[in-house]
Amino acid sequence: MNEHVETLVLDSEGLSSWIAQDREILAMFQVFHDMGADLVVGADTVVAVSHARVNTARLRWALSRVKAEPVTERAAKASAELLKAAGLHGHEYAIDATVAEMAMRRPGPVVVLTSDTDDMSRLCGDRVRLVGVRARAGRGLTAGPRRRGGRRSGCVTGAGAVRNTGDAAWTVCETP
């Protein structure tokens, strides 16, 4: 990405991949750090990644390096409005909505590292840039386009894609 990024927002997969020390994600974070981007997570995202197998010391270390935003009553109401506007409802979309709401009120330009580019695109529209994160069997999480039936989702590579100085590249998902 050639332009400056002010804020990098992590959803639960983004935070989980950082805690798991995925090399590609760590390299991507270095690129954003070099840009001077603030790293932000929602308090509910912290809850979502906390489980019996999480490396608690690593989680604490990661949280010491990000701004954890609370989900206030105002944020919850705004998140509910985003869900309604996107035609989504239910608990399976609740954290996505709070991540989207938080991202849209942060100083821009904003990039969201997310495992759910489809729903986040519906929630955020074109107000943020999305970087897709997906799980690969045996390798942990890596950045890239989501695939459905062998096809790429709405993610594109090329001009504007986030790139490391090495040979690893990440897909920036442009919203329609």
Side-chain angles (χ1 to χ4, degrees):
M1 182 175 294
N2 297 332
E3 73 223 35
H4 171 74
V5 172
E6 189 67 32
T7 307
L8 175 63
V9 176
L10 310 176
D11 79 352
S12 59
E13 294 292 349
L15 182 56
S16 292
S17 62
W18 190 22
I19 293 167
Q21 297 181 312
D22 180 276
R23 290 183 308 194
E24 291 179 12
I25 297 300
L26 292 174
M28 184 190 315
F29 277 21
Q30 186 62 50
V31 171
F32 285 111
H33 175 74
D34 291 347
M35 288 182 190
D38 293 329
L39 272 66
V40 181
V41 298
D44 53 348
T45 301
V46 176
V47 174
V49 302
S50 299
H51 54 81
R53 295 186 327 252
V54 73
N55 181 330
T56 305
R58 184 78 184 150
L59 173 60
R60 284 190 199 119
W61 176 87
L63 292 176
S64 74
R65 284 152 177 76
V66 300
K67 177 175 177 43
E69 294 249 346
V71 180
T72 64
E73 181 179 352
R74 175 184 257 173
K77 288 177 180 178
S79 299
E81 287 300 317
L82 286 175
L83 285 175
K84 184 177 177 183
L88 302 171
H89 69 280
H91 68 276
E92 64 270 21
Y93 302 108
I95 292 178
D96 285 347
T98 61
V99 170
E101 186 278 331
M102 177 181 55
M104 290 191 292
R105 74 179 142 80
R106 296 294 303 174
V110 176
V111 170
V112 178
L113 188 61
T114 180
S115 61
D116 196 349
T117 57
D118 294 336
D119 292 335
M120 291 301 285
S121 176
R122 290 175 68 185
L123 292 164
C124 297
D126 63 357
R127 295 175 60 188
V128 302
R129 297 190 75 181
L130 304 174
V131 175
V133 177
R134 61 188 164 96
R136 284 191 190 169
R139 286 206 41 194
L141 298 170
T142 58
R146 292 180 66 191
R147 294 182 182 266
R148 287 196 178 154
R151 296 180 324 171
R152 291 180 190 263
S153 67
C155 301
V156 296
T157 59
V162 175
R163 295 199 183 275
N164 176 343
T165 54
D167 60 348
W170 300 278
T171 302
V172 173
C173 302
E174 304 290 352
T175 55

